[in-house]
């Protein structure tokens, strides 16, 4: 529930389950013309919590401006009867001439919102298309894993009893509940490839739309990660985060290694921080720091970034795509370079592992009771200390990093997580406007 | 392959020496992606770097607007004029192409030793002495018509027919589609509204508008082909007909046409099978508007590309990695491209001054255009080279 005195428009003003976020205060002015609500207000650093925070809020509003014409949920702390799904109209952000506000974080904003038909109870629908994951070159995976092995899966996000109301899902699906920082996440998986071609629809109240959804955040120098709205991100290649409430992936500022970190939500907090490094051949680590980052996708159903590493000499640009789906306990990665090598990924801190077809997983649980999983659709050689690398040189490495958490049953154990990874899925979610 | 056309605008301040070139009809216009020094680069090398070449055949606006057709028109323009035949005759059995002996392409298309083909030369065509086929050439058919018929006669697979292209250098290449266009089996470009310009695996074509339409106007359940004197006939029927009439029984849509070259029942069957194969599924047509800077980076006409848009139903069954995820796009063929000549490109005119060729770099006088590239993607609607006969009411 949005607190009194505050509103949210899309992700602007959203406070996440961990309490992070910059509130957007109730606007100073508002009016309706026909159905369209126009609201506006002023932001100042004092109210936002600091100059950095005010500038972040401005950046979020700019990201929302790029979504003009699209539908977003809006909630109103003082007047919750207005909560619903609105089409975003024109957005303006202003700093009057002479006012140092442009650089110092004080500015005026105004937004136009038009409620869509059935705005208070709009249906959401996802179009899903998937299949058996193959190697990056399009050929079949190297482990004889077939379609029949895969567990096609999908998550509508948070489960909210009595308001969920799904349709278009398979009655034969297995339902999983995965605890996340925002509450319990609903995941459905199917052994008959149902979600490879499906269009499920469901209802989520606007206040829950972003809970346990995929998203991107950035640390602007204060040590706190703030949500990124839209597809533009500042170039802070060591300070980005991908998260879905179950898994958080963090960029690294390391100047010595090409690496990223990953944590899992264990029920009360994020734990089992593992740093994953890129290797050139299974042993030698890629010594290149991250140089740039950009967003590939920033939607509630999937968040993905592309990180570029500062490769030296004529080595050719190394890029790392990391993609996180709503409801997933694993992050999907793709390393790409024009240079053919036996590219690999390995844990920075050794942890003994046991091989499985397609990769390696922890032999025993770590201090938090969790076991890492590293898997690839390509032929890979394993490093018993927790790594995989291509058995023969190639220009790309597809991989997944996941974890079997303490107390995991069917659907959450490493075998099932691997088969969920081998079910690739493309999803496009929208608000159904009659 | 269609004719192609071009329109070039020259500025009003173009000097007379250049504007006068408009009097040299059938001069060759060459477009390169960057402006090369015509005097430094030899003409052969210039042609090697060209993305397009055409033939000038008309001007307007005080000779500032030039128009013309693509090189394929030298084998027969839009009216069929070229080194065409004035009378019909029977053609004895001969292979598709034999580099030194009588063969369809050497003798009846390129007409080597018999007037030639206005300068079109042999590109990459496999030279074989067999199989051989006999046929007919009718009066008024052009070399381009005969080329089309020869490709159809020698095609044995509905899905991998013989096709032809002419390079900007004027070389004719004939081969099976999958050989002529390797992208038929492995597309290297993807058109989508979400594009990653720097994806290592595929070239992205950013789509502004799909311009999509789909119809079954040319769909048929059976194709029947008759020889021109109706003495022979052949047909081909769809193997599994999913559509029904309003009574629930299989829909019968028979298309009947005449072939100028097929003489026997077997040949008629062959031609019918090819036509049937082209019209057995929905004809989906896209007129994509794209802001891509140079379309030739992505594809050429005849190439197959991926198109992907879940909302527009442009999806298929093969998983393809792009933009950090795996999507299921649809493979579709680029059947036409209209692209602006942008600032920075090189435009050259090679004209005959009466006794020799003269190459003129006209790039600095061209009024360059900006704007979207238009890709025509999907089944072309019109059949070329066949006379349609109407079923008598």
């Amino acid at each position: 529930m949005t607190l009194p005195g505050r509103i949210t428009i899309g992700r602007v003003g959203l406070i996440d389950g961990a309490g992070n976020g910059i509130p957007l205060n109730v606007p100073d002015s508002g009016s309706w013309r026909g159905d369209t609500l126009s609201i506006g207000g002023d932001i100042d650093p004092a109210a936002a919590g600091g100059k950095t925070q005010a500038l972040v809020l401005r950046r979020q509003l700019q990201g929302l401006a790029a979504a003009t014409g699209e539908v977003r949920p809006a909630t109103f702390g003082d007047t919750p009867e207005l909560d619903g799904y609105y089409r975003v109209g024109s957005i303006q952000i202003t700093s009057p001439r002479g006012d140092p506000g442009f650089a110092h974080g004080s500015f005026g904003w105004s937004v136009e919102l038009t409620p869509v038909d059935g705005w208070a109870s709009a249906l959401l629908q996802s179009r899903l298309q998937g299949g058996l994951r193959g190697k990056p070159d399009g050929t079949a995976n190297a482990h004889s894993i077939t379609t029949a092995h895969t567990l096609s899966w999908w998550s509508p996000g948070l489960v909210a009893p009595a308001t969920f109301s799904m349709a278009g899902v398979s009655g034969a699906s297995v339902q999983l509940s995965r605890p996340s920082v925002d509450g319990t996440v609903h995941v459905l998986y199917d052994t008959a490839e149902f979600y490879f071609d499906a269009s499920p629809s469901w209802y989520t109240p606007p206040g829950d739309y972003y809970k346990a959804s995929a998203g991107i955040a950035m640390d602007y120098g204060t040590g706190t990660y703030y949500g990124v709205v839209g597809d533009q991100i500042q170039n802070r290649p060591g300070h980005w985060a991908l998260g879905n409430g179950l898994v958080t992936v963090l960029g690294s500022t390391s100047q010595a290694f090409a690496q990223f970190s990953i944590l899992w939500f264990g029920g009360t907090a994020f734990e089992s921080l593992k740093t994953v490094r890129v290797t050139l051949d299974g042993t030698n680590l890629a010594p290149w720091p991250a140089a740039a980052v950009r967003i590939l996708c920033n939607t509630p159903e999937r968040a993905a970034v592309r990180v570029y590493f500062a490769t030296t000499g004529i080595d050719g640009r190394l890029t790392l795509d990391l993609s996180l789906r709503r409801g997933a306990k694993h992050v999907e990665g793709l390393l790409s370079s024009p240079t053919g090598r036996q590219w690999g990924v390995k844990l920075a801190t050794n942890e003994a592992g046991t091989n499985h077809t397609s990769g390696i997983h922890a032999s025993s649980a770590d201090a938090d009771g969790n076991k890492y999983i590293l898997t690839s659709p390509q032929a890979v050689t394993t490093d018993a200390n927790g790594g995989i690398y291509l058995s023969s040189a190639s220009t790309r490495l597809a991989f997944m990093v996941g974890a079997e958490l303490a107390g995991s049953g069917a659907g959450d154990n490493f075998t099932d997580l691997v088969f969920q990874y081998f079910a690739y899925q493309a999803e496009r979610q929208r608000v159904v406007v009659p | 392959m269609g004719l192609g056309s071009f329109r070039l605008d020259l500025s009003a301040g173009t000097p007379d020496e250049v504007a006068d070139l408009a009097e040299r009809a059938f001069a060759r216009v060459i477009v390169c992606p960057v402006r090369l020094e015509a005097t430094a680069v030899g003409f052969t090398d210039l042609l090697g770097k060209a993305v397009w070449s055409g033939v000038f055949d008309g001007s307007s606006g005080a000779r500032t607007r030039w128009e013309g057709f693509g090189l394929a028109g030298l084998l027969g323009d839009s009216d069929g004029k070229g080194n065409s035949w004035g009378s019909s005759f029977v053609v004895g059995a001969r292979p598709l192409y034999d580099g030194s002996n009588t063969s369809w392409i050497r003798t009846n298309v390129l007409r080597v030793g018999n007037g030639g083909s206005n300068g079109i030369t042999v590109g990459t065509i496999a030279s074989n002495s067999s199989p051989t086929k006999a046929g007919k050439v009718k009066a008024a058919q052009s070399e381009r018509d005969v080329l089309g018929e020869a490709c159809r006669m020698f095609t044995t697979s509905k899905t991998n027919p013989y096709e032809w292209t002419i390079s900007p250098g004027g070389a004719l290449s004939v081969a099976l589609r999958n050989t002529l266009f390797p992208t038929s089996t492995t597309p290297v470009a993807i058109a989508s509204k979400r594009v990653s310009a720097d994806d290592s695996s595929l070239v992205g074509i950013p789509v502004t508008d799909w311009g999509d339409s789909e119809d079954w106007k040319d769909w048929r359940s059976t194709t029947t082909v008759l020889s021109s004197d109706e003495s022979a006939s052949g047909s081909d029927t769809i193997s599994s007909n999913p559509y029904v009439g309003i009574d629930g029984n299989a829909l019968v849509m028979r298309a009947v046409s005449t072939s100028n070259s097929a003489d026997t029942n077997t040949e008629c069957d062959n031609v019918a099978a090819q036509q049937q194969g082209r019209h057995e599924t929905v004809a989906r047509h896209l007129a994509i508007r794209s802001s891509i800077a140079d379309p030739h980076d992505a594809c050429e006409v005849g190439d197959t590309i991926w198109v992907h848009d879940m909302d527009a139903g442009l999806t298929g069954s093969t998983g393809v990695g792009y933009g950090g995820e795996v999507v299921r796009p649809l493979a579709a063929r680029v059947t036409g491209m209209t692209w602006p000549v942008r600032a920075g490109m090189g435009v050259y005119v090679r004209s005959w001054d009466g006794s020799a060729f003269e190459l003129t770099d006209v790039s600095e006088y061209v009024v360059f255009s900006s704007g979207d590239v238009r890709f025509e993607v999907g089944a072309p609607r019109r059949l070329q080279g066949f006379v349609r006969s109407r079923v008598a009411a």
Side-chain angles (χ1 to χ4, degrees):
Chain A
M1 185 70 104
T2 301
L3 293 179
R6 298 174 177 180
I7 63 170
T8 66
I9 309 170
R11 283 193 218 258
V12 181
L14 205 60
I15 312 292
D16 72 15
N20 292 323
I22 304 161
L24 184 64
N25 289 334
V26 162
D28 305 334
S29 67
S31 65
W32 273 271
R33 188 176 346 167
D35 226 359
T36 300
L37 171 65
S38 299
I39 45 177
D42 289 310
I43 302 295
D44 70 79
K51 171 182 152 192
T52 308
Q53 287 78 355
L55 291 174
V56 171
L57 197 54
R58 187 183 73 198
R59 216 170 277 122
Q60 291 182 337
L61 281 162
Q62 285 171 293
L64 189 64
T68 301
E70 291 175 28
V71 181
R72 292 285 183 274
T75 64
F76 301 82
D78 291 322
T79 50
E81 68 275 10
L82 292 177
D83 287 1
Y85 291 88
Y86 291 80
R87 197 173 296 280
V88 176
S90 76
I91 298 188
Q92 281 203 313
I93 303 160
T94 53
S95 263
R97 184 198 282 258
D99 188 327
F102 190 77
H104 292 198
S106 59
F107 55 95
W109 62 272
S110 67
V111 176
E112 275 184 359
L113 299 172
T114 308
V116 298
D117 283 355
W119 106 112
S121 53
L123 266 185
L124 303 172
Q125 183 171 49
S126 260
R127 178 85 201 275
L128 291 166
Q129 285 204 327
L132 173 65
R133 187 179 295 271
K135 292 189 272 196
D137 63 1
T139 56
N141 69 73
H143 309 291
S144 307
I145 291 176
T146 65
T147 312
H149 291 122
T150 59
L151 296 176
S152 71
W153 67 274
W154 169 68
S155 170
L158 211 62
V159 65
T163 54
F164 216 54
S165 183
M166 290 186 294
V169 295
S170 159
S173 303
V174 176
Q175 298 185 70
L176 288 177
S177 295
R178 289 179 171 167
S180 83
V181 71
D182 283 325
T184 308
V185 171
H186 212 57
V187 174
L188 299 121
Y189 71 86
D190 188 86
T191 53
E193 302 98 56
F194 180 81
Y195 297 104
F196 282 169
D197 268 295
S199 292
S201 59
W202 73 105
Y203 167 70
T204 291
D208 288 345
Y209 184 86
Y210 288 108
K211 288 189 180 167
S213 67
I216 299 177
M218 181 155 270
D219 166 11
Y220 296 96
T222 61
T224 311
Y225 284 85
Y226 295 110
V228 173
V229 178
D231 290 335
Q232 305 277 38
I233 195 174
Q234 262 199 291
N235 191 25
R236 293 171 58 78
H239 297 97
W240 54 267
L242 284 180
N244 65 359
L246 298 164
V247 176
T248 302
V249 185
L250 299 169
S252 167
T253 51
S254 166
Q255 294 300 300
F257 303 112
Q259 63 184 34
F260 63 94
S261 300
I262 176 167
L263 302 107
W264 288 266
F265 188 73
T268 43
F270 279 97
E271 58 193 32
S272 284
L273 170 76
K274 310 228 180 272
T275 299
V276 179
R277 291 186 176 153
V278 176
T279 68
L280 303 173
D281 53 11
T283 317
N284 293 302
L285 300 167
W288 307 308
V293 61
R294 77 176 181 86
I295 293 179
L296 291 177
C297 185
N298 188 8
T299 58
E301 64 269 23
R302 186 175 83 97
V305 292
R306 176 168 287 173
V307 183
Y308 303 82
F309 294 98
T311 49
T312 47
I314 56 167
D315 219 88
R317 182 166 56 223
L318 177 69
T319 63
L320 174 62
D321 293 350
L322 290 165
S323 177
L324 188 62
R325 281 183 63 200
R326 175 174 55 206
K329 272 189 171 167
H330 65 271
V331 66
E332 297 168 18
L334 179 71
L335 257 182
S336 233
S337 160
T339 312
R341 278 210 168 89
Q342 290 179 268
W343 296 103
V345 285
K346 67 172 281 182
L347 300 179
T349 309
N350 291 345
E351 271 186 64
T354 309
N355 290 355
H356 59 261
T357 313
S358 80
I360 190 169
H361 62 277
S363 305
S364 42
D366 64 15
D368 295 309
N370 306 323
K371 300 181 181 178
Y372 70 82
I373 308 164
L374 290 171
T375 274
S376 167
Q378 296 158 274
V380 288
T381 309
T382 57
D383 170 345
N385 286 321
I388 53 174
Y389 61 96
L390 290 167
S391 300
S392 52
S394 172
T395 54
R396 282 178 286 183
L397 169 68
F399 65 93
M400 161 277 243
V401 184
E404 178 183 294
L405 303 182
S408 287
D412 291 313
N413 55 50
F414 84 86
T415 312
D416 287 353
L417 288 180
V418 166
F419 289 141
Q420 284 164 29
Y421 168 66
F422 272 91
Y424 76 78
Q425 212 92 4
E427 179 176 358
R428 191 261 297 118
Q429 175 181 311
R430 60 197 184 95
V431 175
V432 177
V433 180
Chain B
M1 185 185 183
L3 266 191
S5 66
F6 75 90
R7 195 187 69 207
L8 209 57
D9 286 316
L10 298 178
S11 79
T14 304
D16 290 340
E17 312 85 76
V18 173
D20 283 350
L21 294 176
E23 273 143 47
R24 297 182 182 172
F26 304 104
R28 188 175 184 178
V29 174
I30 299 143
V31 180
C32 293
V34 269
R35 187 178 172 189
L36 298 155
E37 281 292 346
T39 48
V41 172
F43 183 61
T44 318
D45 286 344
L46 185 79
L47 280 183
K49 301 196 194 304
V51 284
W52 200 81
S53 182
V55 175
F56 158 72
D57 73 350
S59 73
S60 56
R63 302 182 301 174
T64 57
R65 170 160 290 184
W66 288 30
E67 292 177 336
F69 53 87
L71 291 180
L74 293 174
L75 292 178
D77 69 4
S78 48
D79 297 326
K81 301 197 297 290
N83 195 359
S84 44
W85 287 269
S87 56
S88 309
F89 59 99
V90 167
V91 178
R94 58 196 54 185
L96 180 62
Y97 179 70
D98 181 323
S100 5
N101 301 310
T102 301
S103 51
W104 278 97
I105 293 177
R106 186 165 187 273
T107 314
N108 302 102
V109 176
L110 295 175
R111 303 203 71 186
V112 173
N114 234 314
S117 46
N118 291 321
I120 301 297
T121 55
V122 170
T124 308
I125 317 179
S127 179
N128 293 309
S129 55
S130 66
T132 64
K133 289 203 189 287
K136 291 203 299 246
V137 170
K138 277 196 89 160
Q141 274 194 303
S142 67
E143 293 160 294
R144 198 156 54 87
D145 295 327
V146 175
L147 177 57
E149 301 268 337
C151 286
R152 275 182 275 273
M153 279 195 293
F154 283 83
T155 292
T156 49
S157 155
K158 270 198 236 190
T159 50
N160 195 10
Y162 272 101
E163 293 187 349
W164 56 274
T165 59
I166 296 184
S167 70
L172 172 70
S173 295
V174 181
L176 292 173
R177 174 195 294 166
N178 293 356
T179 312
L180 206 54
F181 298 104
T183 56
S184 302
T185 43
T186 317
V188 299
I190 181 164
S192 125
K193 286 194 166 173
R194 301 189 69 101
V195 151
S196 284
D198 56 349
D199 224 88
S200 65
S201 47
L202 292 169
V203 176
I205 299 173
V207 172
T208 316
D209 188 66
W210 286 111
D212 60 300
S213 68
E214 52 183 43
D215 66 70
W216 286 260
K217 293 180 171 35
D218 282 327
W219 183 90
R220 72 275 301 271
S221 54
T222 311
T223 304
T224 298
V225 170
L226 305 168
S227 64
S228 49
D229 59 4
E230 293 192 27
S231 62
S233 72
S235 65
D236 190 80
T237 305
I238 194 171
S239 51
S240 165
N241 187 349
Y243 306 120
V244 299
I246 58 176
D247 59 354
N249 294 320
L251 189 68
V252 180
M253 290 281 190
R254 178 182 292 105
V256 183
S257 61
T258 310
S259 164
N260 283 328
S261 63
D263 243 359
T264 65
N265 287 341
T266 316
E267 282 166 28
C268 286
D269 275 335
N270 221 350
V271 173
Q274 287 166 53
Q275 284 190 37
Q276 180 62 32
R278 282 205 291 273
H279 301 291
E280 275 187 338
T281 54
V282 59
R284 181 179 280 111
H285 186 77
L286 301 171
I288 298 175
R289 299 210 89 87
S290 168
S291 56
I292 194 172
D294 187 351
H296 306 281
D297 286 342
C299 60
E300 297 295 343
V301 175
D303 277 328
T304 297
I305 60 171
W306 293 119
V307 293
H308 185 249
D309 191 289
M310 288 219 234
D311 286 320
L314 298 172
T315 55
S317 55
T318 310
V320 171
Y322 186 65
E325 62 170 336
V326 183
V327 293
R328 280 174 26 195
L330 183 67
R333 202 150 184 222
V334 177
T335 51
M337 234 160 53
T338 308
W339 45 279
V341 178
R342 298 197 201 277
M345 289 184 150
V347 183
Y348 310 86
V349 175
R350 194 176 195 234
S351 56
W352 184 255
D353 70 3
S355 53
F357 276 117
E358 194 184 310
L359 182 68
T360 316
D361 182 347
V362 302
S363 314
E364 60 190 289
Y365 309 112
V366 170
V367 177
F368 291 110
S369 35
S370 54
D372 285 341
V373 173
R374 189 176 143 122
F375 293 91
E376 307 286 337
V377 174
R381 306 288 190 75
R382 292 175 47 219
L383 291 176
Q384 295 189 352
F386 286 115
V387 172
R388 281 184 192 260
S389 58
R390 293 182 204 285
V391 177

